[in-house]
Amino acid sequence: MSLLERLNSDMKQAMKEKNKDKLNVIRMVKASLQNEVISLGNNVTLSADQELTILTREVKQRKDSLLEFEKAGRDDLVDKLKQELLILEEYLPQQLSEDELLEIVRATISEVGATSKADMGKVMSAVMPKVKGQADGSSVNKAVASLLK
């Protein structure tokens, strides 16, 4: 089942349950998917990889906003965003544990022959496609930085 099919199914369920929070999040994600289709040309069907990219972008936007709202002391908006993130994470693939991520980073460091922090960009660009949707950039960055001295 594609992401769009799953969103449509869950949207119907949210309507039946009168779950407005989930319904709003699903509608926002569907709008983002539709905007991407429009920007690529209306007769295009998004691949699973493209759908995942859009979903990841939505999660990242909310995490960034969450940090800003926490700094500003806007607890009302923080709670709302945390709820939205929980809903969005239902559609993401299983997230890698810290140990799994470190193992992938170690293997990639060996593959690209990285030896110092100067090679961090090379390692990051090799790791990110491998963990797409399973780990965010900041956690990958921390893992790479911890292994490169």
Side-chain angles (χ1 to χ4, degrees):
M1 180 185 299
S2 76
L3 177 62
L4 193 56
E5 291 168 345
R6 189 167 163 215
L7 287 169
N8 285 330
S9 171
D10 289 353
M11 187 168 83
K12 289 175 189 172
Q13 189 65 33
M15 284 181 190
K16 288 178 185 174
E17 295 171 357
K18 296 186 182 349
N19 185 341
K20 291 184 181 196
D21 293 336
K22 187 168 189 169
L23 187 60
N24 288 335
V25 172
I26 291 172
R27 284 181 173 156
M28 283 188 272
V29 172
K30 282 186 63 171
S32 294
L33 291 168
Q34 187 61 37
N35 287 338
E36 190 71 19
V37 167
I38 290 169
S39 71
L40 295 173
N42 279 331
N43 296 330
V44 176
T45 303
L46 295 175
S47 68
D49 196 42
Q50 289 170 315
E51 290 176 340
L52 182 59
T53 300
I54 294 164
L55 190 59
T56 305
R57 187 183 324 139
E58 290 291 317
V59 169
K60 183 177 182 335
Q61 287 174 349
R62 281 167 179 78
K63 284 183 178 179
D64 292 344
S65 297
L66 184 64
L67 290 174
E68 294 301 316
F69 290 147
E70 285 174 342
K71 286 180 189 174
R74 294 291 311 266
D75 294 334
D76 55 331
L77 296 174
V78 167
D79 293 339
K80 182 178 183 274
L81 277 176
K82 283 182 180 177
Q83 185 64 32
E84 287 181 13
L85 279 168
L86 287 174
I87 294 167
L88 284 173
E89 287 169 355
E90 292 175 21
Y91 299 99
L92 287 174
Q94 179 68 35
Q95 299 296 294
L96 294 172
S97 71
E98 190 174 332
D99 293 336
E100 292 169 324
L101 180 59
L102 286 170
E103 189 57 40
I104 291 170
V105 171
R106 276 190 199 96
T108 305
I109 288 172
S110 298
E111 286 172 21
V112 299
T115 56
S116 69
K117 288 224 186 245
D119 299 321
M120 193 155 173
K122 194 171 20 171
V123 175
M124 287 290 295
S125 63
V127 170
M128 288 309 290
K130 294 178 183 179
V131 299
K132 186 172 192 149
Q134 297 175 316
D136 64 350
S138 63
S139 57
V140 172
N141 189 314
K142 288 176 190 170
V144 172
S146 72
L147 294 175
L148 289 177
K149 303 287 185 222

